[in-house]
Amino acid sequence: MIDWNAGKGRFTAGGKELEWACWGDRDAGPVIVLLHEGLGSLALWRDFPEKLAQATGLGVFAFSRENYGQSEAGDLPFPIDYMTRQATGVIPDVLDQIGAGSVILMGHSDGATIALEYAGRVEDFRTRGIVLMAPHVFTEEMGLAEIARAGAVFGPDMAARMGKYHRDPEATFRGWNEAWLNPDFKRWDVSEVIDYLRVPALVIQGHQDQYGTMKQVDEIATRSYAPVDVLALDDCRHAPHVDQPQAVLDAVSFFAQRLMAHEAAMPEGA
């Protein structure tokens, strides 16, 4: 188990050594576990985790997946079901290492899909709710075209910029980009996991998201058995916590407080 008081360190999950950091009080309520996007990392959350801990009063935990940030390298190429493998093979270890009695999984892009898949595929009563920023549950042509454009411009300059946040930027980029551009990925669809959700969700989507549309949100909202709140933001592209940080902080705070109030009101043993 990690030493929360240390504030940061390295731990093993899914057989890989990963970097982590935490903020706030682990015992204040459910810990918010941040799952980064396809080119994200622990460092690329910047000051958002600290602001999230302050806004919610809860503990916040973030880490870099294998091949990201300063975490251990993993195998390439990524398999088409790499997000499912993260959800079922890595996240259980992560939550065990945190040592929290309850969690809210909060993911961005790939991380949102991983959070959704964990909640839909793994029975874990520690999971009280999920927050999904710019999730994807199936491919869209406009998103695939944007990923192809990114692959076409990747070069030394972009690698150098990414090198500030990833120890092997080319491996990080190629792993994500080449998985999505695999011809077989056009048929990728994990929407069936929505049918198995049994915890509330908050879905946050920018109207100007260049990788996905409101179709992703509508699929989750209409198919989920559990309650789904939707926050659709104007003047917001693929990273709501960057483009509209205060709106995201306010929404997550309200969502978390409502979860805790509901749980406190439940009869003991229910």
Side-chain angles (χ1 to χ4, degrees), residues 126-147:
R126 292 173 295 189
T127 306
R128 298 295 200 264
I130 53 176
V131 179
L132 312 175
M133 294 193 297
H136 32 252
V137 294
F138 49 80
T139 58
E140 295 184 81
E141 285 298 329
M142 50 87 74
L144 293 175
E146 191 70 23
I147 292 169

Side-chain angles (χ1 to χ4, degrees), residues 8-11 16-20 36 39-44 63-74 161-169 172:
K8 61 181 180 180
R10 302 181 72 84
F11 71 123
K16 299 292 184 181
E17 187 179 79
L18 311 177
E19 62 173 349
W20 65 270
H36 63 73
L39 292 180
S41 69
L42 172 59
L44 277 166
F63 68 101
S64 295
R65 298 191 292 274
E66 63 185 81
N67 276 319
Y68 291 91
Q70 305 307 311
S71 290
E72 186 178 349
R161 292 194 299 272
M162 288 181 60
K164 299 175 182 178
Y165 306 102
H166 305 282
R167 68 178 183 179
D168 189 344
T172 297

